[in-house]
Amino acid sequence: MTNEKNIKLSIKNLSKTFDNGKQSEGVAIDNISFDVYDGEFLSILGPSGCGKTTILRLIIGLTEPTSGKIYKDGQDITNLKISKRGMGIVFQNYALFENMTVCQNVEFALKIKKATRKTAHETAMSLLQKMHLADFANKKPADLSGGQQQRVAIARTLALNPDIILFDEPMSALDVDTRMELCAEIKRVQKEFKTTIIYITHDQEEAFSMSDRIMVMTTAKISQIGTPEQILSSPANDYVKKFVVNNLLKKKESLNKIIERIK
Amino acid sequence: MMQRSKKSRGIYWQIFLLVVLVVFVVIPLITLFSKIDGKTVHSLFNSAQFWPAFRNSILTTIISTIISVFIAYCLAWAISRTNIKCKGLFSILLVLPMLIPSISHGMGLTILFGNNGIITKLFKGTSIIYGYFGIILGSVMYSFPVAFLMFVDILKYEDSSVYDAADVLGIPKHKQFFSITLPYMRKALISILFTIFTLIITDYGVPLAVGGQVKTLAVLLYEHAVGQLNYSIGALIGLFLLVPAVVAFLFDLFNKDKSKTGYSTKEFKPKKDTLKDVLAYVICILVSAFVLFSISAFCLQAFAKTYPSDLSFTFEHFKNTFSKNGGEYLYNSIIMSLLTACVGMTVTFVVAYFTSRFKNKLSKLLHIISLISMSIPGLVLGLAYVIVFKRTFLYGTITILVFVNAVHFFASPYLMQYNALNKINENLESVGQVLNIPRVRIITDCILPQCKSTLVEAFTYFFVNSMMTISAVSFLSTRVNKPLSLMINQFEAYGMLECAAVVALLILAVNMLVKMIFYFVKRKKRRTKNVNKKTI
């Protein structure tokens, strides 16, 4: 199936070494290569500190690679200016402009791009409507719930019409109910805007319920990349079996126990 | 490629700021201490004045520090741990002494307890204020508000649930103080002790006014450097005064409080306890009364015709002060303070922006140099500046006073801004890069609006302190650029206490006005915030 799809993003022999005395000193990403298909939902799954976020920052250009290349639609974008890459990013801690209203948050980039006040406002309002946030347009981010704030962040990213959106653990600050809602919302956005999504998480359930393919990582390296079914049926090594498959089975067991009790 | 050039632009800015700080902080200090040679050391150590002054300084400073910190803790406890009323009023009254020059506290004591003092006359006694007693009392007067504010800030962030747990476990109150409160405050307490110690030992205002025959190191430095223009002796004494500040700085640097970060604490809601409240009222009223008493002594001196014989009301002393160029110096002071506030607020923000939002070795270096300015006593800084800038066109201008004040008062507002900027989401600039929003627009449209109240606070801090300082500026002012605060020294020297009182009142009035404006700006902001919350 996947062979028929176009390659949207191609990562070739990417490495990143930190040497500025930070905690993350050493090799963060070690000679990684993988492809992302057009319109695909790819999750990068791994424990904290394995280099997931570094990959994301390398792809969008917030961090410079030590070696390796990044191609988008066949073009080398390794040294391209961040804003010219046609990508958006949603951070774990929302990173909204706290002093602006919800609507102003979405409009800001459009206004900088020299859109007229009217078109900027109309675009922003239509995006907010699609994210079910129209009623909150004039509120400040601090007055919204975590889930709502994350939806504002998504709307703000959509304003510049990116064809790839990167999510950096967008749900780790949210409670269980809100997570489920936002999951559905992100899937809907992907379909409606036909974007490619690269989604970082350390939560197996999240990855397996949303993704077309999953990339499992250990420290600085890829352990396995494949569809959820492939990973479950034939884990590449012991680590994948332990970290992904066994964990999911344990959760299933405990859920079964609860259901039995209720009965 | 584009990205790379952007990154390095930030580094150019950091290097530029580093050069500025080195020129205005590090070079003057090195120049100053290079003046010290073997001959200076020999002549100072063998002079009759040095060792007694050294002993006097240590003795008076230790005693004043202990008293000042004790009073400050009691007051902070009363304000933040009891249910007394009028906490706002007390808080304002208790920090009034911070708004006037230290020398005027000495003068206030003279008016009350001096040879012709109100209290002395009342009890028909002889004055005991000149000497150790006066120095200690005056030093306590102007230093306790600083410690008070620091204590209030610490007590505000203490977690009350620990005490709830202790109550449940049946641990008696006095044991709670020694086993919970003290360990919690240990680092902060040491830091406060050092701060107050440094503040007192480097002040020459109080001992000059009421010291009489008892001279301290700061007075000695003042006499040698300002009076006799003997800079090398001044530099050597300055080195002694720098020691406690450097110790304090190193202590703070290696003892960062890590326990606070990341914990949400439960705010204190004091339980009803009449005995505690009564005690708190007594403490607050006693200290406030003493503060008010000393300020009303200024008023009496300034408005009475010939105190103490003729107490009829007059503006004569105001006219007299203004006829001696008081107006011109007041104008100098206000312009200097406004400029210092503008320059200081801007530079502290820019430096704090680069140290908090750029994580590299340069920003660490910038951060440390910025904090070093805290440990340089004003007298030492002023002396260093006069040596470096005496022969330049800057000497004798308002500009040099602005520079020296901005450096002298740099550290506290810098820290305020640094902390405020660290609280702002670290990914804002990244979002800007992705959405093609220039860094400058992220700063002007998103970060500055969020830092507004900190900026106003920094502005006020620079203004108020520049208005009342008599330390660094005393070396750098000439007939042309003299600030108002230094007139107190002059009037005091000529025994014109009435005019000195007028000057102190003028400074107090300007500073209170600025503080009031700040208070209303802050309150208005809080109100609009609350209104926004309510409309949801």
Side-chain angles (χ1 to χ4, degrees):
Chain A
M1 280 288 281
T2 46
N3 290 341
E4 297 157 21
K5 288 183 181 172
N6 298 324
I7 293 176
K8 184 76 191 168
L9 196 72
S10 187
I11 311 296
K12 295 268 183 262
N13 307 102
L14 202 63
S15 289
K16 176 67 190 176
T17 321
F18 287 107
D19 58 352
N20 55 355
K22 278 186 181 175
Q23 283 179 329
S24 49
E25 195 168 7
V27 182
I29 297 296
D30 189 10
N31 198 19
I32 276 184
S33 300
F34 65 94
D35 293 331
V36 185
Y37 301 112
D38 197 6
E40 180 181 36
F41 194 120
L42 175 80
S43 287
I44 302 179
L45 176 65
S48 48
C50 72
K52 304 181 301 261
T53 300
T54 308
I55 292 189
L56 214 63
R57 294 180 70 90
L58 287 169
I59 291 174
I60 203 160
L62 288 169
T63 305
E64 282 175 53
T66 312
S67 63
K69 293 277 179 201
I70 303 164
Y71 299 92
K72 188 187 163 202
D73 296 320
Q75 277 186 321
D76 183 358
I77 59 161
T78 319
N79 290 318
L80 193 69
K81 196 179 173 189
I82 299 171
S83 54
K84 297 256 190 286
R85 296 184 183 209
M87 299 182 194
I89 187 165
V90 175
F91 290 102
Q92 177 185 341
N93 50 17
Y94 327 127
L96 294 174
F97 310 130
E98 295 289 332
N99 56 308
M100 299 183 188
T101 63
V102 166
C103 190
Q104 285 167 339
N105 261 279
V106 183
E107 283 173 356
F108 192 31
L110 294 167
K111 282 184 181 161
I112 297 277
K113 228 183 156 189
K114 304 244 159 54
T116 61
R117 194 176 286 262
K118 204 179 151 207
T119 47
H121 187 71
E122 278 169 3
T123 317
M125 282 312 288
S126 94
L127 280 170
L128 289 178
Q129 221 132 33
K130 281 179 185 155
M131 297 304 296
H132 312 294
L133 287 165
D135 293 344
F136 302 99
N138 294 322
K139 298 263 186 289
K140 292 272 174 76
D143 304 325
L144 269 57
S145 72
Q148 288 164 338
Q149 290 194 48
Q150 201 53 294
R151 269 156 43 205
V152 177
I154 296 173
R156 183 178 65 179
T157 307
L158 288 170
L160 290 186
N161 229 346
D163 43 11
I164 302 176
I165 301 181
L166 313 174
F167 286 88
D168 187 5
E169 307 209 23
M171 310 222 210
S172 31
L174 303 176
D175 58 58
V176 181
D177 283 348
T178 323
R179 280 179 189 213
M180 307 244 284
E181 268 172 44
L182 200 63
C183 268
E185 199 85 353
I186 292 173
K187 284 301 274 184
R188 198 176 55 76
V189 166
Q190 187 203 6
K191 276 197 189 121
E192 196 172 335
F193 293 85
K194 296 191 177 60
T195 49
T196 306
I197 285 178
I198 303 176
Y199 186 97
I200 282 186
T201 180
H202 61 262
D203 185 301
Q204 293 89 353
E205 276 177 86
E206 246 172 64
F208 276 79
S209 61
M210 294 167 84
S211 321
D212 296 321
R213 282 193 309 152
I214 297 168
M215 183 168 117
V216 184
M217 282 190 74
T218 37
T219 316
K221 284 193 180 285
I222 301 175
S223 287
Q224 187 175 9
I225 182 163
T227 61
E229 295 78 19
Q230 283 168 347
I231 291 177
L232 281 178
S233 58
S234 48
N237 51 36
D238 275 356
Y239 169 76
V240 177
K241 202 173 170 189
K242 219 170 137 190
F243 178 68
V244 185
V245 185
N246 289 357
N247 262 337
L248 279 173
L249 287 176
K250 264 184 215 158
K251 274 186 191 163
K252 193 186 158 198
E253 261 175 44
S254 63
L255 263 180
N256 281 342
K257 272 184 197 163
I258 294 169
I259 293 167
E260 265 172 38
R261 263 195 202 170
I262 296 168
K263 279 178 185 169
Chain B
M1 297 288 261
M2 297 286 278
Q3 220 180 305
R4 213 160 272 164
S5 72
K6 253 207 171 144
K7 217 180 212 172
S8 53
R9 217 185 301 163
I11 289 179
Y12 287 138
W13 266 97
Q14 285 184 307
I15 293 173
F16 169 71
L17 290 171
L18 199 64
V19 170
V20 171
L21 287 182
V22 165
V23 167
F24 286 104
V25 181
V26 181
I27 291 183
L29 279 186
I30 293 174
T31 319
L32 173 69
F33 294 125
S34 68
K35 291 264 160 193
I36 302 170
D37 52 15
K39 218 179 96 194
T40 320
V41 177
H42 186 78
S43 72
L44 182 72
F45 284 1
N46 288 323
S47 74
Q49 291 170 309
F50 178 74
W51 293 110
F54 184 81
R55 209 193 56 223
N56 292 340
S57 268
I58 299 287
L59 193 70
T60 52
T61 308
I62 288 178
I63 297 173
S64 318
T65 304
I66 292 170
I67 299 174
S68 173
V69 169
F70 177 73
I71 292 177
Y73 178 77
C74 293
L75 291 168
W77 168 83
I79 295 292
S80 47
R81 292 284 184 272
T82 67
N83 283 314
I84 57 169
K85 293 198 172 71
C86 310
K87 282 182 183 175
L89 179 70
F90 282 130
S91 303
I92 293 172
L93 284 179
L94 291 172
V95 296
L96 279 185
M98 276 174 84
L99 303 182
I100 46 176
S102 59
I103 194 167
S104 44
H105 292 294
M107 205 181 65
L109 290 177
T110 317
I111 298 169
L112 289 172
F113 303 104
N115 284 336
N116 280 320
I118 303 169
I119 307 286
T120 323
K121 291 261 150 138
L122 206 65
F123 293 102
K124 295 195 172 64
T126 49
S127 174
I128 48 158
I129 204 70
Y130 304 104
Y132 293 111
F133 185 63
I135 297 178
I136 290 168
L137 201 57
S139 301
V140 169
M141 268 293 270
Y142 89 90
S143 65
F144 86 82
V146 180
F148 165 70
L149 287 183
M150 290 171 91
F151 273 126
V152 167
D153 202 45
I154 291 159
L155 289 178
K156 198 163 66 187
Y157 292 109
E158 199 186 11
D159 189 0
S160 73
S161 49
V162 185
Y163 291 90
D164 294 343
D167 280 342
V168 173
L169 292 171
I171 298 167
K173 289 284 174 205
H174 65 277
K175 280 209 170 155
Q176 287 185 18
F177 177 80
F178 287 107
S179 58
I180 303 174
T181 315
L182 263 189
Y184 167 76
M185 290 203 309
R186 201 185 71 225
K187 281 177 191 166
L189 182 67
I190 295 174
S191 177
I192 293 174
L193 281 170
F194 273 127
T195 308
I196 300 304
F197 188 91
T198 312
L199 197 67
I200 295 175
I201 203 166
T202 58
D203 171 63
Y204 74 89
V206 171
L208 192 69
V210 288
Q213 294 303 312
V214 179
K215 279 191 180 151
T216 64
L217 284 180
V219 172
L220 215 56
L221 194 163
Y222 178 77
E223 285 179 352
H224 276 289
V226 176
Q228 304 162 21
L229 299 180
N230 190 342
Y231 295 152
S232 51
I233 291 268
L236 185 56
I237 303 173
L239 200 59
F240 276 92
L241 295 182
L242 203 59
V243 172
V246 170
V247 173
F249 173 74
L250 291 177
F251 178 84
D252 274 347
L253 199 66
F254 294 115
N255 279 291
K256 271 184 207 148
D257 208 344
K258 286 168 194 146
S259 58
K260 253 190 258 172
T261 46
Y263 284 101
S264 60
T265 53
K266 202 176 132 222
E267 219 180 306
F268 261 90
K269 291 239 164 54
K271 289 175 201 116
K272 213 180 157 189
D273 188 334
T274 323
L275 188 70
K276 264 189 185 175
D277 288 357
V278 170
L279 194 63
Y281 272 124
V282 171
I283 297 167
C284 286
I285 290 173
L286 267 181
V287 181
S288 306
F290 196 78
V291 168
L292 277 182
F293 196 42
S294 131
I295 288 170
S296 30
F298 291 132
C299 295
L300 197 64
Q301 186 92 9
F303 291 109
K305 205 163 192 176
T306 35
Y307 166 86
S309 53
D310 183 358
L311 294 183
S312 56
F313 183 84
T314 176
F315 274 123
E316 204 54 48
H317 307 309
F318 277 80
K319 278 185 203 151
N320 199 6
T321 309
F322 280 95
S323 74
K324 296 201 162 45
N325 296 325
E328 196 188 308
Y329 297 152
L330 176 65
Y331 175 80
N332 279 351
S333 264
I334 290 176
I335 294 293
M336 176 191 77
S337 304
L338 275 178
L339 285 174
T340 308
C342 292
V343 171
M345 177 186 74
T346 313
V347 178
T348 46
F349 177 83
V350 174
V351 174
Y353 178 83
F354 281 101
T355 51
S356 62
R357 315 289 290 184
F358 284 67
K359 298 288 173 210
N360 56 21
K361 280 177 187 157
L362 264 179
S363 59
K364 268 184 201 155
L365 192 63
L366 268 176
H367 184 67
I368 288 182
I369 297 186
S370 304
L371 293 180
I372 282 179
S373 68
M374 178 141 50
S375 19
I376 311 171
L379 274 181
V380 178
L381 193 68
L383 191 57
Y385 268 53
V386 79
I387 291 169
V388 173
F389 295 104
K390 178 106 194 194
R391 278 175 238 294
T392 66
F393 66 96
L394 283 171
Y395 184 73
T397 60
I398 295 276
T399 316
I400 189 78
L401 300 185
V402 170
F403 284 164
V404 83
N405 281 339
V407 171
H408 184 191
F409 302 117
F410 194 83
S412 292
Y414 162 76
L415 263 185
M416 288 177 210
Q417 311 236 43
Y418 178 80
N419 291 334
L421 281 164
N422 261 331
K423 277 185 201 136
I424 293 176
N425 195 302
E426 55 180 349
N427 288 322
L428 281 191
E429 282 87 352
S430 301
V431 170
Q433 278 180 292
V434 174
L435 296 177
N436 204 18
I437 301 165
R439 189 182 277 277
V440 180
R441 288 298 299 269
I442 292 284
I443 296 174
T444 55
D445 291 44
C446 312
I447 292 179
L448 275 178
Q450 291 186 57
C451 292
K452 234 188 269 167
S453 69
T454 320
L455 285 167
V456 177
E457 209 166 317
F459 184 93
T460 320
Y461 183 90
F462 275 114
F463 186 94
V464 168
N465 280 297
S466 304
M467 254 336 261
M468 54 162 261
T469 186
I470 52 168
S471 57
V473 291
S474 62
F475 296 94
L476 297 161
S477 50
T478 60
R479 173 70 195 73
V480 186
N481 67 349
K482 189 181 209 162
L484 185 67
S485 53
L486 289 179
M487 282 188 94
I488 299 182
N489 303 20
Q490 192 187 327
F491 285 133
E492 182 114 52
Y494 295 130
M496 296 167 71
L497 281 185
E498 297 83 4
C499 292
V502 168
V503 172
L505 280 183
L506 282 174
I507 292 173
L508 182 67
V510 174
N511 275 345
M512 275 173 75
L513 189 72
V514 170
K515 280 266 178 190
M516 259 156 69
I517 295 172
F518 168 66
Y519 176 75
F520 282 115
V521 168
K522 216 173 175 183
R523 206 170 73 163
K524 200 180 149 204
K525 217 183 151 216
R526 211 177 296 151
R527 266 198 192 158
T528 42
K529 243 187 195 166
N530 288 342
V531 169
N532 282 342
K533 279 250 155 84
K534 270 178 201 160
T535 50
I536 295 160

